[in-house]
Amino acid sequence: MTEHSGRGSAASLNTPADVAASALSRYRDLVDDWDAFAAALCRPLPGSVWANPTRIGVDALAGLLAEQGVEAVPVSGLPGALQVPASFRTGQQWWYCIGLAHAQEVVSQIPATLMDLRPGQRVLDMCAAPGGKTAQIAFALGNRGTLVANDVSFQRIKALQGNLDRLGVVNVTTTCGDAGNWPAAGGQFDRILVDAPCSSEGTVRRNASLLQRMALANSERLGPRQRALLRKAVQRCRPGGRILYSTCTFAPEENELVVADILAELPDALRLVPVSIPGFRTAPGITAWQGRELPADLAHCHRFWPHHNDTGGFFIAVLEKRGDLPSEPEPKPAELSDAEHDDWLTGLDAKYGFPEDYWTHYRVNRQTRRGLHLMAADHVPPAVPKSEGSGLFFHRTNVRPPKPTTAGALLLGRDVSRFRLELTQAQRDAYMRRETFEPTAAQAALDQRGQMMVTYAGHALGVAIFHRSGVIESQFPRRWSGCAAGPQQGQGGAPADAED
């Protein structure tokens, strides 16, 4: 195919669509309707949220949006997702901040649905931050077993962990490093997601300034890293396992050419898996580019063009490793402090009245001096590479009296039978603004004072102090308080992390 220059003179660029068409003109021969494609890039991208399956159903989430006068439309092909207006500030809603839902672009939600995930699998997310796909995988595994989420940036790992904590994920261990050098001692995995760092051309509907910085050199620079990630994923995949490679760019240099090169390197180990994506219109992967003929099997890849489904741009390839190849031994598990926590759990039981044998569903351990972490009972972090954290930091024991973290309260609060306080809507908003507020007459009549789990409409909000003086003091974290200060108020977005 012929490469176009991708640039036009400033005088000739009269509209945003002209700018988009000029910046991306080298893809003109790949797109079925160029004018529709260029026009789509200039329209606001609709928002999308998915319901946290451990806390709320999608119909109930749609009901919360309807109460706010927001029309939420089900997303065909994604049963738990809702489309919301582009202008809707999802990260500032009370229900978002307490983990009832997560905001994630529609096409970004698709990879997890194609990984054939089942409880009991061992899974690696190689480039995990900010964590939307990680959380989807975690819930597809039933919030059990072992999912390792890696990212090369420590700051991005903090944001990743914050999202996992907000959503109540307990089956994830996070690691920080270059996944292209993932150590063999970390073991093999049944499923691996490689959502590779890319030139992000498909995100221009959210970040129009990218149009001014697009250049073929970006794709050529990123290609070697993407190949290293996919190559390592093949090595770390168990025989018979599945690898999903995805990007949010249009560039063949980062998509089909990467997949073609790895298939050529490992012709006896891999095959491209044909998958269907109900509810979405996609284009097949290309089989020729700039004079290079590519394997016909690359047509099994999927390209998402923005004008086909009113989404961003995306690329997906699903690969399977041959099942008759030699497998490796199970990795050595990390040594965790699982003992001497019974007294803390007994104290929580005595205070809040959890159901009998409640803690048998979890694995409790101390990872820092601050307090205790909660993991799925069958979660087994590997000894290598060194983890940044496993599970959810749920109980702070280095304060007097000890108290559940907000993430812990969001996870456990619905199961307590004592010291639980249901708030009114006005109290809910005051609580999430970190205010001290007056109790209702019915609340004032209660004989319980001190540390309380607070809820609204049955949903856990966190921890508050019901003072003997008769006021209720919010313990909602300061770093979260901007994201849910009542309808359309506040300045913050979703919390960056969940450690109080």
Side-chain angles (χ1 to χ4, degrees), residues 176-342:
C176 186
D178 179 4
N181 294 317
W182 184 271
Q188 290 185 310
F189 297 83
D190 301 292
R191 300 289 185 268
I192 298 179
L193 174 62
V194 187
D195 187 43
C198 68
S199 55
S200 303
E201 293 172 343
T203 69
V204 295
R205 295 183 69 180
R206 289 188 284 119
N207 185 5
S209 65
L210 281 172
L211 288 170
Q212 309 301 324
R213 304 194 298 272
M214 288 181 182
L216 175 58
N218 295 332
S219 298
E220 293 174 335
R221 174 179 55 84
L222 288 161
R225 183 180 181 191
Q226 293 157 344
R227 287 170 177 79
L229 289 167
L230 186 52
R231 185 180 299 114
K232 181 60 67 174
V234 178
Q235 295 171 5
R236 294 298 91 222
C237 184
R238 283 176 175 158
R242 179 171 286 198
I243 301 162
L244 192 142
Y245 177 82
S246 62
T247 75
C248 56
T249 195
F250 306 120
E253 293 83 3
E254 303 177 63
N255 295 330
E256 289 91 349
L257 270 62
V258 171
V259 175
D261 286 349
I262 299 304
L263 286 171
E265 286 182 23
L266 305 165
D268 298 324
L270 284 178
R271 74 178 184 99
L272 271 166
V273 180
V275 293
S276 61
I277 309 179
F280 291 90
R281 177 185 173 190
T282 68
I286 64 172
T287 56
W289 179 244
Q290 303 206 339
R292 176 179 171 181
E293 294 297 320
L294 303 173
D297 285 355
L298 284 170
H300 293 321
C301 302
H302 289 267
R303 282 181 162 266
F304 294 79
W305 297 104
H307 60 295
H308 286 167
N309 306 285
D310 197 19
T311 65
F314 214 71
F315 174 86
I316 289 174
V318 181
L319 301 108
E320 185 177 87
K321 189 170 180 178
R322 265 181 48 188
D324 58 351
L325 296 172
S327 60
E328 298 178 6
E330 290 297 307
K332 179 182 178 181
E335 294 183 6
L336 298 175
S337 175
D338 289 328
E340 302 179 3
H341 305 316
D342 288 349

Side-chain angles (χ1 to χ4, degrees), residues 5 55 111 126 128 152 156 201 225 249 324 329 378 427 430 457:
S5 65
R55 294 182 181 171
M126 298 182 84
V152 73
R156 286 172 59 83
E201 293 172 343
R225 183 180 181 191
T249 195
D324 58 351
D378 57 350
Q427 289 176 326

Side-chain angles (χ1 to χ4, degrees), residues 117-124 134 137-149 164 168-174 188-191 238 330 336 360-363 365 374-382 389-392:
L117 296 162
R118 298 186 299 274
Q121 293 170 336
R122 189 170 191 261
V123 182
L124 172 64
T134 308
I137 294 170
F139 293 139
L141 298 175
N143 212 7
R144 310 197 313 268
T146 303
L147 166 57
V148 179
L164 299 181
V169 173
V170 295
N171 63 343
V172 171
T173 285
T174 56
Q188 290 185 310
F189 297 83
D190 301 292
R191 300 289 185 268
R238 283 176 175 158
E330 290 297 307
L336 298 175
T360 61
H361 301 291
Y362 298 105
R363 184 178 181 186
N365 70 96
L374 203 65
M375 301 185 298
D378 57 350
H379 183 68
V380 184
S390 295
L392 182 150

Side-chain angles (χ1 to χ4, degrees), residues 367-420:
Q367 296 175 28
T368 72
R369 289 178 293 180
R370 293 175 304 160
L372 305 180
H373 278 67
L374 203 65
M375 301 185 298
D378 57 350
H379 183 68
V380 184
V384 177
K386 178 182 177 295
S387 73
E388 296 299 324
S390 295
L392 182 150
F393 179 45
F394 85 106
H395 192 42
R396 187 179 288 281
T397 61
N398 66 341
V399 296
R400 292 292 179 270
K403 75 179 189 76
T405 64
T406 298
L410 296 181
L411 178 68
L412 309 175
R414 62 187 174 184
D415 298 320
V416 304
S417 60
R418 295 192 293 271
F419 289 89
R420 173 174 172 169

